[in-house]
Amino acid sequence: SQTIHQWPATLVQPVGSPLSLECTVEGTSNPNLYWYRQAAGRGLQLLFYSVGIGQISSEVPQNLSASRPQDRQFILSSKKLLLSDSGFYLCAWSPGTSDETQYFGPGTRLLVL
Amino acid sequence: SQQGEEDPQALSIQEGENATMNCSYKTSINNLQWYRQNSGRGLVHLILIRSNEREKHSGRLRVTLDTSKKSSSLLITASRAADTASYFCATGLIQGAQKLVFGQGTRLTINP
């Protein structure tokens, strides 16, 4: 069966510090991968998605970047965090076939102080 | 603005009652999905309905889709305390069919 991992679960970082959040998927090949951000009590905002290694599409211009160095690894990064980067970050994958269901990881709660 | 808008934003009912949540969207879609999120957790897929379908069932869940009105509803029958969560609709667009656009969600509370 397929599983998706995200770490860390919680992160507190000072303004101006770098960020690296990692997401890995097991049990599938060539998945579509997604990064979302969720503000408290709100819906999900799609940040980045990837249909293959090295292929990244950005949905919202911002302080963040994403990379996909391996087929089942998706990394969200920032060189200098802003207060507004605080939120709940969710990684998801989909089979990239006619099954368009997305499967979510447990999320990373980021607090920038 | 968001493609999907849920209504109501919050709903509180007694255990055993039925809960109905609605979702409206703006553009043509390929499919519409409903997800559940327990507090502080990731989202869990509940059900997917395609644009050529009008109704779908899964256990105590019933989803309808009216493409002429660009709306969908999620009915949870015989609610349980464990159904307490936020529920989101997400639309798969015809353009960029691999992406989903999520609404703001309905916060459902089931009172024992």
Side-chain angles (χ1 to χ4, degrees):
Chain A
S1 64
Q2 301 88 7
T3 55
I4 179 169
H5 304 279
Q6 277 187 254
W7 64 91
T10 304
L11 191 59
V12 180
Q13 291 285 94
V15 169
S17 63
L19 174 73
S20 181
L21 302 181
E22 189 162 344
C23 171
T24 59
V25 182
E26 296 177 355
T28 187
S29 298
N30 197 31
N32 291 339
L33 296 172
Y34 309 84
W35 277 113
Y36 292 90
R37 177 168 59 200
Q38 184 178 31
R42 304 297 299 276
L44 277 67
Q45 178 187 36
L46 179 62
L47 301 176
F48 302 94
Y49 70 98
S50 171
V51 299
I53 295 174
Q55 300 180 58
I56 309 295
S57 295
S58 175
E59 289 295 296
V60 182
Q62 59 211 320
N63 186 41
L64 302 169
S65 62
S67 61
R68 185 171 177 173
Q70 300 180 44
D71 181 44
R72 290 168 290 176
Q73 184 185 30
F74 206 23
I75 297 172
L76 183 69
S77 303
S78 174
K79 292 182 179 178
K80 287 185 178 182
L81 284 169
L82 306 172
L83 287 174
S84 58
D85 291 324
S86 294
F88 191 47
Y89 289 83
L90 288 157
C91 181
W93 72 275
S94 70
T97 62
S98 59
D99 180 358
E100 290 142 353
T101 299
Q102 292 189 12
Y103 301 90
F104 284 80
T108 294
R109 189 161 303 281
L110 172 66
L111 179 60
V112 182
L113 300 176
Chain B
S1 62
Q2 289 286 107
Q3 159 77 331
E5 298 289 343
E6 283 94 341
D7 170 56
Q9 291 186 349
L11 179 62
S12 181
I13 61 173
Q14 294 300 119
E15 195 167 20
E17 295 180 339
N18 296 340
T20 299
M21 289 159 273
N22 302 296
C23 171
S24 60
Y25 58 92
K26 295 183 173 64
T27 63
S28 296
I29 62 171
N30 184 47
N31 65 82
L32 187 144
Q33 304 181 33
W34 285 90
Y35 289 80
R36 184 182 75 194
Q37 183 181 34
N38 289 88
S39 182
R41 308 292 296 274
L43 278 72
V44 175
H45 174 78
L46 295 176
I47 198 165
L48 180 153
I49 186 166
R50 298 206 173 276
S51 59
N52 61 352
E53 297 175 308
R54 292 297 168 257
E55 187 171 314
K56 207 161 184 180
H57 296 255
S58 177
R60 294 184 294 112
L61 305 180
R62 172 178 169 255
V63 169
T64 62
L65 179 64
D66 187 334
T67 53
S68 66
K69 295 181 179 178
K70 292 185 169 59
S71 67
S72 173
S73 67
L74 170 67
L75 169 67
I76 303 174
T77 60
S79 63
R80 305 167 182 169
D83 295 328
T84 294
S86 291
Y87 292 81
F88 295 89
C89 70
T91 48
L93 306 182
I94 293 176
Q95 296 297 325
Q98 300 289 351
K99 298 185 294 183
L100 295 177
V101 179
F102 284 81
Q104 296 297 299
T106 292
R107 175 68 189 170
L108 175 65
T109 301
I110 309 298
N111 302 303

